[in-house]
């Protein structure tokens, strides 16, 4: 028996009257950047409950997603597989019934499983939970009720997926809104009134999400279940702003990642070990006393919880696929370097439609057309783009200076190029024969009419095939 499982059983024996396996809660934010919480150093976003999780548990400082796109990221987390291996690599594609998710072996072990809030996984995955419910505007309104009404004689796995801080934004959703002076503007966005107004509303949604997390944590404590529950907080991708969501930079694929597991993860601990979202499912099964699935492409990081200095990975991999617009890129990241290969480099690095329609992007379009946008803020408009990008993150945290063409970095470039190629070979990552076209105009975000008609026709056909309304 592993030392981690022994520790868990000792904690369970003292707190739950016997050797009960741990329960699991996974909080998934929708479009939240990795450093947009007090626990990660943001000076003004109000996240007391997320911060408390970090004080009571372990903060992971180098956790990465496999893609920066909502539904493919969620499918990857639940299956422990890279998006191109799930059959659901593009936005809105349903996860096929043949894909095994983490709830299935847990249910076989006697766990009660529920998903509450944003779904975005397709109809075939619903029966793989005992309960699936929605969640209102913020996506979190049912979380506490699901926890209260659970069967008390079973361990549980709860997938609590928020809508926050996804667009669209509105004023007045929290009692004390953030102000423009609270905003920290990253250097790849223009620091102007539009950007600050946009970001402060995004901050408000993070604060609303934080409140929902707090209600769940309080309910856990009320039930006396906190000591034997693994709690994970993460996001599905970066913030919905230019050069963030859908990109392979840290602003797109790096995620907040906090684990609380009393008796195993030391309170207030941190780790710099590299981990990937494909490692989550095998870790949960490991902590439940189960072996990883043959289908898993990740591996358990449970050992890090008791030994934060333990190294887990040398490389993490990520991919960009269709998300409103045609795209295909792949990346590999080490602790120091990021290598990106743009396979459709003739296309601009367009943000998703919700960001294209934002006041931030519209202001950027105006500045770009008038020649007032500096180079570090203009990459979203660049076409063609370089086939390869290489960044030294030790000196360039925001990946603003591409080193791929410099001879002094040729060895690093060749090494990471080879590592990425081997990963693609090992995971059978092959480019599609044809590109899926854009659904929207890249500048305005408006529908391309003939494609809207075709998209609606396909939705109706799919709905008819499953006997539902579109």
């Amino acid at each position: 028996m592993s030392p981690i499982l022994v520790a868990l059983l000792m904690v369970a024996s003292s707190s739950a009257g016997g050797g009960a396996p741990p329960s699991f809660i996974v909080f998934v934010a929708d479009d939240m950047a990795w450093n947009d919480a007090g626990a990660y150093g943001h000076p003004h976003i109000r996240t007391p409950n997320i911060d408390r999780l970090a004080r009571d548990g372990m903060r992971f400082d180098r956790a990465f997603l496999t893609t920066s796109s909502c539904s493919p990221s969620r499918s990857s987390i639940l299956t422990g597989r890279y998006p191109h291996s799930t059959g659901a690599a593009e936005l809105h594609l349903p996860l096929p019934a043949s894909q095994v998710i983490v709830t299935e072996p847990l249910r076989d072990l006697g766990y009660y499983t529920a998903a509450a809030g944003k779904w975005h996984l397709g109809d075939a995955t619903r029966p793989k939970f005992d309960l699936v419910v929605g969640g209102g505007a913020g996506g979190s309104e049912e979380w506490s009720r699901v926890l209260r009404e659970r069967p008390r004689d079973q361990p549980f796995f709860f997938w609590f997926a928020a809508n926050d801080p996804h667009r669209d934004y509105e004023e007045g959703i929290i009692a004390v809104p953030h102000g423009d002076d609270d905003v920290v503007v990253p250097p790849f966005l223009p620091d102007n009134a539009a950007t600050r107004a946009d970001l402060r509303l995004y901050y408000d949604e993070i604060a609303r999400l934080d409140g929902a997390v707090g209600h769940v944590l309080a309910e856990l404590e009320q039930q006396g279940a906190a000591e034997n529950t693994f709690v994970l907080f993460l996001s599905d991708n970066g913030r919905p702003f230019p050069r963030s969501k859908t990109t392979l930079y840290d602003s797109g694929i790096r995620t907040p990642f906090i684990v609380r597991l009393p008796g195993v993860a030391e309170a207030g601990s941190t780790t710099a070990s590299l981990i990937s979202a494909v490692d989550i499912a095998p870790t949960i099964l490991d902590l439940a006393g189960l072996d990883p699935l043959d289908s898993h492409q990740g591996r358990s990081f449970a050992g890090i919880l008791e030994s934060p200095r333990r190294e887990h990975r040398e490389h993490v991999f990520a991919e960009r696929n269709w998300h409103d617009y045609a795209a295909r890129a792949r990346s590999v990241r080490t602790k120091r370097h990021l290598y990106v290969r743009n396979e459709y480099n003739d296309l601009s690095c367009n943000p998703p439609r919700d960001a294209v329609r934002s006041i931030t992007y519209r202001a950027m379009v105006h500045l770009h057309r008038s020649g007032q946008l500096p180079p570090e803020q203009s990459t979203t408009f660049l076409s063609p783009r370089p086939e390869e990008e290489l960044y030294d993150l030790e000196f360039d945290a925001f990946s603003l200076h591409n080193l791929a063409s410099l001879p002094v970095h040729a060895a690093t470039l060749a090494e990471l190029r080879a590592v990425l190629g081997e990963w693609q070979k090992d995971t059978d990552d092959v480019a599609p024969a044809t590109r899926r076209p854009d659904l929207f105009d890249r500048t305005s975000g408006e529908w391309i009419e003939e494609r809207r008609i075709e998209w609606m026709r396909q939705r109706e056909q799919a709905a008819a095939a499953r006997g539902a309304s579109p």
Side-chain angles (χ1 to χ4, degrees):
M1 185 178 294
S2 72
I4 290 287
L5 190 54
V6 169
L8 285 168
L9 292 176
M10 291 176 62
V11 171
S13 179
S14 63
S15 64
S23 292
F24 301 93
I25 293 177
V26 178
F27 292 111
V28 185
D30 193 357
D31 295 4
M32 179 178 168
W34 73 274
N35 53 353
D36 284 340
Y40 282 94
H42 198 287
H44 301 302
I45 300 179
R46 294 189 289 277
T47 53
N49 297 295
I50 295 170
D51 300 348
R52 180 161 63 96
L53 263 184
R55 289 196 302 273
D56 293 345
M58 180 178 291
R59 189 191 73 207
F60 287 69
D61 289 342
R62 288 189 174 97
F64 293 87
L65 303 159
T66 57
T67 187
S68 185
S69 178
C70 303
S71 59
S73 181
R74 294 159 190 258
S75 293
S76 183
I77 293 167
L78 285 168
T79 61
R81 293 172 64 76
Y82 293 103
H84 67 266
S85 298
T86 66
E90 298 179 350
L91 182 68
H92 303 316
L93 288 183
L95 189 63
S98 59
Q99 294 290 320
V100 180
I101 68 169
V102 69
T103 58
E104 295 176 81
L106 289 177
R107 289 173 79 180
D108 291 342
L109 195 62
Y111 277 74
Y112 175 72
T113 63
K118 183 170 181 175
W119 180 241
H120 220 184
L121 295 165
D123 290 342
T125 304
R126 290 181 182 273
K128 299 182 179 185
F129 288 84
D130 295 301
L131 174 70
V132 176
V133 295
S140 56
E141 283 75 0
E142 295 294 320
W143 292 358
S144 295
R145 183 182 68 81
V146 168
L147 181 57
R148 282 195 305 271
E149 297 179 2
R150 67 181 175 89
R152 298 302 175 95
D153 59 348
Q154 292 177 260
F156 56 85
F157 172 91
F158 291 155
W159 176 260
F160 287 161
N163 292 332
D164 290 336
H166 195 288
R167 294 181 185 274
D168 290 331
Y169 299 144
E170 58 183 275
E171 300 275 1
I173 67 166
I174 59 173
V176 182
H178 293 87
D180 287 354
D181 290 342
D182 293 324
V183 171
V184 177
V185 181
F188 52 81
L189 296 177
D191 188 350
N192 55 29
T195 301
R196 286 183 174 267
D198 214 6
L199 281 169
R200 67 174 174 78
L201 294 180
Y202 158 79
Y203 289 5
D204 287 354
E205 291 211 354
I206 292 175
R208 178 167 66 177
L209 167 62
D210 181 83
V213 169
H215 292 317
V216 171
L217 298 181
E219 180 63 30
L220 264 183
E221 291 165 3
Q222 175 74 21
Q223 294 180 16
E227 291 302 306
N228 197 35
T229 300
F230 168 102
V231 177
L232 167 62
F233 179 90
L234 80 161
S235 181
D236 62 352
N237 50 247
R239 66 171 76 88
F241 283 77
R243 212 176 187 271
S244 297
K245 182 178 177 179
T246 72
T247 75
L248 299 178
Y249 308 117
D250 280 16
S251 51
I253 62 165
R254 194 170 180 178
T255 180
F257 200 97
I258 299 169
V259 172
R260 188 181 76 178
L261 186 56
V264 177
E266 182 182 354
S269 58
T270 63
T271 180
S273 184
L274 280 172
I275 64 165
S276 168
V278 291
D279 300 328
I280 295 171
T283 300
I284 288 172
L285 295 190
D286 187 10
L287 294 173
L290 297 172
D291 292 330
L293 303 179
D294 291 341
S295 58
H296 283 162
Q297 294 172 317
R299 58 182 184 272
S300 172
F301 61 77
I304 298 175
L305 298 177
E306 64 172 12
S307 301
R309 293 182 180 273
R310 179 178 296 185
E311 293 296 336
H312 183 64
R313 287 179 170 274
E314 188 176 354
H315 306 98
V316 290
F317 303 92
E319 57 193 83
R320 180 177 186 175
N321 302 303
W322 189 95
H323 183 125
D324 296 338
Y325 307 97
R328 182 176 167 86
R330 299 294 185 261
S331 71
V332 56
R333 194 195 190 284
T334 67
K335 283 190 172 181
R336 178 167 177 174
H337 291 99
L338 170 67
Y339 169 74
V340 179
R341 185 167 65 237
N342 297 306
E343 298 190 13
Y344 293 174
N345 72 303
D346 57 306
L347 302 176
S348 61
C349 187
N350 222 70
R353 186 199 188 206
D354 57 349
V356 167
R357 293 167 62 85
S358 70
I359 57 175
T360 297
Y361 190 73
R362 289 172 180 170
M364 290 177 71
V365 169
H366 173 75
L367 291 169
H368 177 66
R369 287 175 174 171
S370 61
Q372 300 178 64
L373 204 62
E376 63 271 18
Q377 296 170 9
S378 301
T379 54
T380 188
F381 302 102
L382 184 63
S383 178
R385 289 178 290 146
E387 292 185 17
E388 296 181 300
E389 300 175 54
L390 177 67
Y391 301 98
D392 186 338
L393 301 169
E394 185 174 324
F395 301 100
D396 181 19
F398 293 96
S399 301
L400 300 177
H401 305 289
N402 184 9
L403 307 175
S405 64
L406 301 182
V408 68
H409 298 286
T412 301
L413 182 71
E415 176 189 348
L416 295 181
R417 182 192 296 139
V419 168
L420 184 63
E422 191 64 26
W423 170 77
Q424 289 191 279
K425 179 181 177 182
D426 290 345
T427 61
D428 196 25
D429 180 27
V430 179
T434 59
R435 297 184 187 182
R436 185 178 175 186
D438 298 350
L439 274 187
F440 309 99
D441 180 88
R442 285 180 174 253
T443 301
S444 69
E446 298 298 326
W447 281 95
I448 299 171
E449 183 60 20
E450 64 270 20
R451 293 175 188 163
R452 184 192 68 81
I453 293 170
E454 175 62 16
W455 183 76
M456 291 297 296
R457 184 187 66 80
Q458 292 175 358
R459 283 192 70 203
E460 291 168 356
Q461 288 179 342
R466 65 176 185 266
S469 58

